[in-house]
């Protein structure tokens, strides 16, 4: 399941396509509404409202009994303005998966959190490694494609 909150909105096209390509169905948490309010009670800290709402979406996915909650630890994003360095997400966004695991620890049942660190703003090589690591966390082995030269040599 993918919670429809925070940076997952922006990353939904990438992540949903990736998850489907690995052979999984994508379950979304749904729309933000009052029904999420009760699910936000698992939060012990007082983060900003968008982070509170994210907890509600995670709770909704747990209630749907999804196998996985796809909530990788997104560290940074590509930069649109080269005057700025980093492109790092706020600490609450970066650590949401770890806080959510603790907050929902007694409610998750068999649901597992996908928490691989993702660095989208540090070049293609690291992005490829990140996708391989994400697939491995889902139990799927992927790797570099073999070219015709390597096939002939191998």
């Amino acid at each position: 399941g993918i919670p429809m909150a925070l940076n997952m909105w922006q990353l939904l096209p990438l992540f949903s396509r990736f998850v489907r390509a690995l052979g999984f169905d994508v379950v979304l948490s749904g729309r933000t509404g009052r029904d999420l309010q009760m699910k936000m009670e698992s939060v012990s800290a007082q983060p900003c409202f968008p982070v509170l709402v994210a907890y509600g979406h995670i709770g909704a996915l747990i209630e749907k009994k999804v196998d996985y909650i796809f909530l990788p630890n997104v560290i940074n994003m590509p930069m649109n303005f080269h005057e700025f360095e980093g492109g790092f997400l706020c600490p609450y966004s970066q650590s949401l998966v770890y806080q959510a695991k603790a907050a929902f620890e007694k409610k998750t049942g068999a649901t597992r959190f996908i928490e691989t660190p993702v660095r989208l703003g540090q070049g293609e090589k690291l992005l490829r490694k990140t996708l391989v690591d994400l697939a491995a966390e889902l139990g799927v082995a992927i790797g570099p494609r073999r070219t015709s030269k390597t096939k002939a040599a191998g």
Side-chain angles (χ1 to χ4, degrees), residues 68-81:
Y68 299 98
I69 295 180
F70 194 83
L71 194 60
N73 175 13
V74 180
I75 304 294
N76 62 7
M77 301 284 284
M79 295 297 299
N80 291 329
F81 302 101

Side-chain angles (χ1 to χ4, degrees), residues 17-67:
R17 188 170 184 183
F18 176 72
V19 169
R20 283 189 179 109
L22 295 176
F24 293 92
D25 292 327
V26 174
V27 177
L28 302 177
S29 59
R31 298 177 59 88
T32 300
R34 291 197 185 276
D35 58 320
L36 295 182
Q37 202 163 9
M38 295 299 289
K39 297 167 190 67
M40 291 187 257
E41 291 178 358
S42 296
V43 182
S44 58
Q46 289 299 313
C48 64
F49 185 71
V51 172
L52 284 173
V53 170
Y55 280 94
H57 283 276
I58 293 164
L61 288 170
I62 290 169
E63 284 183 358
K64 291 181 180 186
K65 298 185 181 343
V66 296
D67 296 325

